[in-house]
């Protein structure tokens, strides 16, 4: 068994910091990598050593796999953690890391390759008793035949890119008359976005909920699941609010989904931490969507309800240790909710709104975890994902967790860029979310940007107050006057400047 003494994190921002924090607790030295845009970033300052990779664009910095491996060897690094995004789902990189004699904190190239292609994934799990969304499980080459199948399945159908990800590469087809046109668009989009024009069709599930299962697999054949995360509140097919457990699953469905997820992991000889995503329909049936072969953005909600540090487990598994717990040792404690704090304007169709974080103060107190990588005065760079932070709360039950999240959002002060926080607060207060009666169409069905626009009218007043507040050396008195002047209307308090 080889122990990891020095770990390089091939990522940036919140996830790089999050990984390093666990490494530090385990007595492992850390190496950061960074681009010229991230010279002063927190992950760079936190690490024991840091390597400049190059100019800001990812393809000249965070995607330079060979350079990262070279530097790792030079610095005596034992293992590389890829985080999420960037090189995390690059089978070739993981192979090169292994070939260089280093440990890769992720699954073997075969699993990444198989699960990175939604069609290969469907074929791999076919014989493992995993329910699939009705549709094709091979790339479409014969358009008229596919059109015929779409009619059999029934419209609407979804055309998906096999290599798609991050909510991109999907087109809804509502009727036969638009099938050919949408098909052509889908193929050309997939070719330009992913360098792979292979597409397939899936039934477009009505009132779908996105429910995913966290799995852990060691090198000795032990596979467990750590229950579900519900990620149905999405914009552009991308998650904004996540929670664990889901408000809708019965213990029986939870067990069945957990078992299916473990089977998916077995189907690709999985190793490490991974997530099996399912779509759950109005009748209570669930279908396999895809597997993400890495640590997920929303992994903290699982950590909070299970008490398991997923990064620690990734490290232990890579070192060749057996899982220290079995399925029956795992239980759900309370409820956790995460909101993604994006530098986006929820009143302008969630358009990115990057710039300088003129004001940045984290919420504090019982049950709150903030995973972020920025400080007041720093810029949110235009080159990368505009996520500023993840705000996660844990409480005894769902109701208390939602109330705690509202309190945390109200304490969060962000000025200089607009953020998704007002939208997240709207969600926490909305009857559909509170009652648990929602699906992936929550935003389209229930969200009205005009609600935020009304607040915009009051923006100038709040801006003046916040400005005064910053200048007033942040005395307790000033804080008090800011919150009381802003009244009980939390939209106003959370308005970004
Ligand atoms: P999660 O399922 O963990 O929420 P996301 O789907 O939001 O993950 O993606 C996490 C990160 O990975 C994001 O930064 C996203 O942009 C990136 N990502 C995911 N899939 C792809 C892909 N196929 N190509 C490029 N980036 C991707
Ligand atoms: P990605 O790789 O981009 O994450 P997924 O297959 O995980 O792609 O799908 C992303 C989101 O798109 C899901 O969370 C869900 O909201 C929606 N979606 C995907 N497949 C379907 C489907 N067959 N029916 C309805 N919605 C779907
Ligand atoms: Mg997905």
């Amino acid at each position: 068994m080889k122990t990891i003494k020095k770990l390089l994190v091939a990522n940036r921002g919140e996830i790089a910091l999050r990984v390093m924090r666990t490494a530090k607790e385990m007595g492992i030295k850390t190496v950061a990598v960074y681009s010229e845009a991230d010279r002063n970033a927190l992950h760079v300052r936190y690490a024991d050593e840091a390597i400049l990779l190059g100019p800001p664009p990812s393809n000249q910095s965070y995607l330079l796999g060979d350079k990262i491996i070279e530097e790792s060897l030079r610095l005596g690094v034992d293992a590389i953690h890829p985080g999420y995004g960037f090189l995390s789902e690059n089978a070739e990189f993981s192979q090169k890391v292994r070939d260089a004699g280093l440990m890769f904190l992720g699954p073997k190239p075969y699993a990444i390759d198989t699960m990175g292609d939604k069609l290969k994934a469907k074929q791999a799990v076919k014989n493992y008793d995993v329910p699939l969304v009705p549709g094709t499980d091979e790339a479409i080459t014969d358009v008229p035949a596919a059109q015929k199948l779409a009619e059999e399945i029934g419209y609407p159908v979804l055309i998906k890119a096999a290599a798609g990800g991050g909510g991109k590469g999907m087109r809804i087809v509502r009727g036969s008359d638009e099938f050919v046109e949408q098909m052509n668009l889908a193929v050309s989009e997939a070719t330009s976005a992913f360098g792979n024009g292979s597409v397939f069709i899936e039934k477009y599930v009505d009132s779908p909920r996105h429910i995913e299962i966290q799995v852990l697999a060691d090198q000795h054949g032990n596979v467990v699941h750590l229950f579900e995360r519900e990620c149905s509140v999405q914009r552009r097919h991308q998650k904004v609010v996540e929670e664990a457990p889901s408000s809708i699953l019965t213990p029986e469905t939870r067990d069945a989904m957990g078992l299916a997820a473990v089977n998916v992991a077995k189907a690709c000889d999985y190793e490490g931490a991974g997530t099996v995503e399912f779509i759950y329909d109005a009748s209570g049936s669930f279908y396999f969507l895809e597997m993400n072969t890495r640590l997920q953005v929303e992994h903290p909600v699982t950590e909070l309800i299970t008490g398991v540090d997923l990064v620690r487990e990734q490290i232990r598994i890579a070192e060749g240790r057996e899982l220290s717990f079995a399925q029956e040792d795992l239980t759900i404690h309370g409820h956790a909710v995460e909101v993604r704090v994006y530098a986006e304007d929820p009143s302008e169709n969630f358009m990115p709104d990057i710039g300088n974080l003129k004001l940045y103060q984290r919420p504090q107190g019982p049950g709150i975890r903030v995973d972020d990588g920025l400080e007041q005065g720093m810029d949110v760079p235009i080159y990368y994902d505009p996520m500023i932070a993840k705000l996660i709360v844990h409480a005894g039950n769902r109701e208390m967790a939602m109330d705690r999240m509202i309190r945390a959002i109200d304490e969060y002060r962000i000025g200089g860029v607009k953020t998704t926080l007002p939208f997240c607060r709207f969600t926490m207060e909305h009857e559909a979310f509170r009652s648990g009666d929602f699906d992936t169409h929550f935003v389209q069905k229930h969200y009205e940007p005009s609600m935020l626009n009304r607040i915009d009218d009051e923006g100038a007043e709040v801006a003046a107050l916040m400005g005064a507040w910053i200048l007033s050396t942040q005395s307790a008195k000033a804080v008090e006057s800011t919150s009381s002047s802003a009244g009980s209307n939390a939209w106003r308090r959370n308005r970004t400047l």
Side-chain angles (χ1 to χ4, degrees), residues 118 158 160 165-167 202-203 205 210 234 237 277 289-290:
K118 295 184 204 295
L158 207 51
K160 276 191 179 180
E202 253 179 25
K203 180 172 177 54
V205 175
H210 175 114
Q234 306 181 340
H237 298 301
E277 298 190 333
L289 270 186
E290 64 162 346

Side-chain angles (χ1 to χ4, degrees), residues 120-130 132 137-138 267:
K120 282 192 199 167
K122 280 177 197 273
Q123 272 142 30
V125 306
K126 240 175 164 175
N127 301 321
Y128 282 79
D129 201 19
V130 177
L132 300 178
D137 57 9
E138 270 171 41

Side-chain angles (χ1 to χ4, degrees), residues 229 242-244 298-305 336-338 392:
R229 295 185 285 260
E242 298 112 342
E243 63 179 315
E298 57 275 17
H299 76 278
V301 291
T302 300
E303 298 189 319
L304 293 176
I305 62 154
V337 181
E338 169 179 296
I392 313 116

Side-chain angles (χ1 to χ4, degrees), residues 417-462:
V417 296
K418 299 222 169 63
T419 77
T420 41
L421 277 177
F423 167 77
C424 296
R425 192 182 198 286
F426 163 88
T427 305
M428 290 304 128
E429 285 200 312
H430 197 280
E431 171 51 26
F433 186 77
R434 289 197 84 88
S435 68
D437 181 16
F438 61 99
D439 58 31
T440 61
H441 305 307
F442 178 84
V443 172
Q444 296 94 300
K445 268 193 211 156
H446 302 297
Y447 172 61
E448 287 278 343
S450 61
M451 288 171 176
L452 302 184
N453 287 340
R454 268 207 314 279
I455 315 304
D456 271 355
D457 299 334
E458 296 159 345
E461 182 206 345
V462 179

